[in-house]
Amino acid sequence: MKSTTLLHDLPRASAERAPSGRALTYAEASLSYGELAARIEAFCAGLVELSLARAERVAIYLEKRFETVIAIFGTAAAGGVFVPVNPLLKAEQVAYILRDCNVRVLVTSAERLQTLAAALAGCPDLRHVVVVDAAGSGIEPGDVPIHAWDALLASPLLPGHRVIDTDMAAILYTSGSTGRPKGVVLSHRNLVAGAKSVAQYLENGPEDAILAALPLSFDAGFSQLTTAFHAGARVVLLNYLLPQDVVKALTKEKITGLTAVPPLWIQLTQVDWPQGIAEHLRYIANTGGRMPLEILKTLRTRLPKTKVYLMYGLTEAFRSTYLPPEEVDRRPDSIGKAIPNAEILVLREDGTPCAPNEPGELVHRGALVAMGYWNDPEKTAERFKPLPGREAGLVLPEIAVFSGDTVRMDEEGFLYFIGRRDEMIKTSGYRVSPTEIEEVLYSTQLVAEAAAFGVEHPVLGQAIVVVTVPKDGHDATPEAILAECRARLPAYMVPAHVELRRGALPRNPNGKIDRKSLAQEFAGMFNTL
């Protein structure tokens, strides 16, 4: 049997073990592992036919569907680097990602290509567009040729470039505390080690049916594929509009495992669940923020036989901790301990270990530590640093990822999340950069100053609040600014509240707009919801 050291080995190995076993379900159709492996091989050949060089980037801008998964793993098999783009992003945000990592091939749909056509003119490295559902409906983004999906997969079978487990496999874009999103570079080793670790503690097996409700551009969303393919389980792809859609899928597909973010769990507790779900839903897992205790209690009442896993992770290290189900009653506010094949440290600013219950920075070491940020040595040096106090004789130091999150560790080694050191907004399971929102506000030409920040919200985790100073001579209104935001931003980045002020916004000692003091003014504004 083929060893699984590379990402695309995961579905191939399961195809060798059980070629007729179901790998993917989408809408009313399913693909067996044998069919999936064959299509991955065909897409790999198509990329080689397009002269994709080793480590060149392939962006996939699609909702969850068979072609999305095939393109991701087929790119890895070809020796390329896949870049899954959140399908909620708008044209300019997609184009930024394509430019930032010099994407050579874009895989998308005819409808999405229509929205991207103008923006793609500013992507000089793009060489090919692959359209999954039609030949592009006559759109020609500049001189870039468009290829039909079926024609590409009909290419003569050719092997991909030789790669090893430390080679790049993916770039996942995540928002930073300042500026544009950063591309986190992940190796085959990162992704495969993560799949094996998570599948181990979730006890995944071929009998599992895992619902992929999170975006595949999220590390936790993508993990649903890798853990399932490692275990030979089935993944059900779901693009849901309403929480009731998730409940229907749980029932219809006899789902055994569901991972979600707190806002979705909150929504799911507010709809009716058919009684039969509790009989087959073996586990649920929370990621992307702390699950409110009342929501956790409600879920456990509805699902008395279901195991609950409370997890913590960051894109830069895939997944860091989990709380075993048997500990949930004793310490429901804990993020647990390190996942298998990882070590989590709590360090002071000088790099020394914190005492029990002393707040410090969460630092992750091991096989899941990413390769850094794409084309950003400054940000990489801030987060990816040598571990202090390690063996002096090692000429090459070990690099760990410093999360920027403050935690404490109790006397038994269980970790508790305290807060984030930066000003990131955590809303609806997404990490949102306030600067990115502010840039959009400035681009409207309606405001002279703008500050975006997060305010605690009982459903969203944090709601986005914006305070602006209108430009002289502009009669801007909150409604007009919100309309511009809706047109330019994905739904999860649209502010929940906009306030206009006259005069300059408050500054901190460094002369920067003081987001923290503004956030304090609005603290508690959503508590009555």
Side-chain angles (χ1 to χ4, degrees):
M1 182 184 298
K2 192 176 185 65
S3 63
T4 52
T5 56
L6 304 175
L7 179 67
H8 49 284
D9 291 336
L10 299 177
R12 283 180 180 175
S14 287
E16 289 181 11
R17 292 193 298 266
S20 61
R22 285 194 294 174
L24 288 174
T25 295
Y26 175 60
E28 301 300 322
S30 289
L31 283 182
S32 70
Y33 269 102
E35 292 168 330
L36 176 61
R39 295 190 193 186
I40 289 171
E41 187 176 8
F43 186 81
C44 163
L47 291 180
V48 175
E49 187 77 5
L50 294 181
S51 300
L52 184 79
R54 187 171 74 168
E56 286 189 328
R57 274 69 64 198
V58 176
I60 300 102
Y61 179 51
L62 288 168
E63 68 278 13
K64 291 190 283 286
R65 54 193 290 171
F66 291 154
E67 293 88 349
T68 310
V69 179
I70 293 163
I72 286 172
F73 285 84
T75 298
V81 176
F82 68 89
V83 185
V85 180
N86 191 323
L88 296 179
L89 297 185
K90 301 295 179 73
E92 284 303 323
Q93 294 165 314
V94 176
Y96 168 77
I97 291 174
L98 302 188
R99 291 192 300 271
D100 186 62
C101 64
N102 318 95
V103 163
R104 290 293 192 187
V105 179
L106 169 65
V107 182
T108 189
S109 65
E111 181 181 2
R112 290 178 182 274
L113 185 58
Q114 290 272 6
T115 69
L116 292 177
L120 292 184
C123 301
D125 296 304
L126 188 64
R127 296 290 181 268
H128 302 277
V129 174
V130 179
V131 180
V132 298
D133 50 3
S137 302
I139 300 173
E140 286 292 341
D143 298 324
V144 180
I146 297 177
H147 308 271
W149 176 267
D150 290 341
L152 187 76
L153 266 64
S155 302
L157 290 183
L158 296 168
H161 300 285
R162 176 175 172 80
V163 295
I164 60 175
D165 66 348
T166 53
D167 283 330
M168 292 190 298
I171 302 177
L172 301 187
Y173 275 80
T174 180
S175 290
S177 58
T178 59
R180 296 281 196 165
K182 306 186 297 294
V184 179
V185 184
L186 299 165
S187 68
H188 286 265
R189 183 190 185 207
N190 294 151
L191 295 171
V192 172
K196 294 177 179 179
S197 178
V198 176
Q200 177 181 335
Y201 71 75
L202 291 180
E203 303 177 301
N204 289 122
E207 68 285 351
D208 274 321
I210 298 171
L211 186 63
L214 300 175
L216 300 182
S217 54
F218 274 13
D219 54 330
F222 185 68
S223 172
Q224 308 312 298
L225 295 177
T226 57
T227 53
F229 292 170
H230 170 65
R234 176 170 68 106
V235 179
V236 177
L237 303 174
L238 178 67
N239 301 291
Y240 71 90
L241 295 175
L242 301 169
Q244 192 63 49
D245 298 332
V246 177
V247 174
K248 289 178 181 177
L250 292 174
T251 303
K252 178 183 176 184
E253 300 296 341
K254 297 291 188 289
I255 295 299
T256 62
L258 172 63
T259 299
V261 293
L264 178 55
W265 289 125
I266 292 170
Q267 292 176 323
L268 289 174
T269 60
Q270 297 170 354
V271 299
D272 294 329
W273 288 42
Q275 195 168 7
I277 291 179
E279 299 303 317
H280 54 75
L281 189 58
R282 183 174 65 79
Y283 71 86
I284 60 173
N286 177 67
T287 189
R290 182 173 175 269
M291 184 186 288
L293 292 180
E294 288 303 314
I295 299 303
L296 178 59
K297 291 177 184 177
T298 301
L299 289 169
R300 299 199 72 198
T301 300
R302 291 188 181 182
L303 303 167
K305 300 178 182 178
T306 301
K307 293 182 177 181
V308 178
Y309 293 85
L310 304 179
M311 304 185 296
Y312 164 93
L314 63 163
T315 308
E316 293 85 349
F318 186 69
R319 194 74 51 79
S320 294
T321 71
Y322 82 100
L323 183 69
E326 60 271 18
E327 293 289 342
V328 171
D329 283 335
R330 295 178 58 204
R331 49 188 102 243
D333 55 341
S334 172
I335 58 173
K337 296 183 177 182
I339 65 172
N341 200 25
E343 183 180 7
I344 302 301
L345 309 170
V346 183
L347 302 181
R348 303 184 182 103
E349 289 191 8
D350 64 2
T352 58
C354 289
N357 293 308
E358 177 188 357
E361 184 173 7
L362 184 147
V363 177
H364 179 127
R365 64 176 295 261
L368 281 76
V369 173
M371 301 176 76
Y373 297 119
W374 177 261
N375 198 29
D376 195 337
E378 182 179 340
K379 291 295 182 185
T380 298
E382 287 179 12
R383 282 290 186 96
F384 297 86
K385 296 183 283 190
L387 274 174
R390 294 287 142 169
E391 297 296 333
L394 288 174
V395 177
L396 296 177
E398 178 188 356
I399 300 298
V401 62
F402 288 66
S403 70
D405 289 345
T406 302
V407 300
R408 65 178 176 86
M409 181 185 293
D410 67 18
E411 294 84 351
E412 297 179 63
F414 287 90
L415 293 152
Y416 299 82
F417 183 85
I418 294 175
R420 301 185 183 278
R421 291 188 176 181
D422 56 28
E423 295 179 317
M424 288 295 302
I425 304 168
K426 189 77 172 183
T427 182
S428 298
Y430 291 85
R431 295 175 66 203
V432 175
S433 164
T435 305
E436 191 174 5
I437 297 172
E438 291 160 6
E439 286 177 355
V440 169
L441 292 167
Y442 288 125
S443 73
T444 68
Q445 301 299 312
L446 296 175
V447 303
E449 287 188 356
F453 46 88
V455 175
E456 293 299 318
H457 190 284
V459 174
L460 302 177
Q462 286 185 311
I464 298 171
V465 173
V466 164
V467 178
T468 66
V469 176
K471 275 189 172 181
D472 290 339
H474 284 76
D475 294 325
T477 64
E479 293 74 17
I481 292 172
L482 277 172
E484 292 286 349
C485 288
R486 291 190 185 101
R488 300 163 184 250
L489 292 167
Y492 67 85
M493 291 179 68
V494 174
H497 178 77
V498 174
E499 179 167 307
L500 300 185
R501 292 190 177 180
R502 301 293 173 181
L505 296 181
R507 284 349 194 221
N508 63 22
N510 295 326
K512 298 179 180 179
I513 293 175
D514 192 346
R515 294 195 192 101
K516 289 185 178 180
S517 69
L518 286 169
Q520 290 171 359
E521 293 182 34
F522 290 84
M525 74 174 297
F526 298 105
N527 286 351
T528 58
L529 295 182

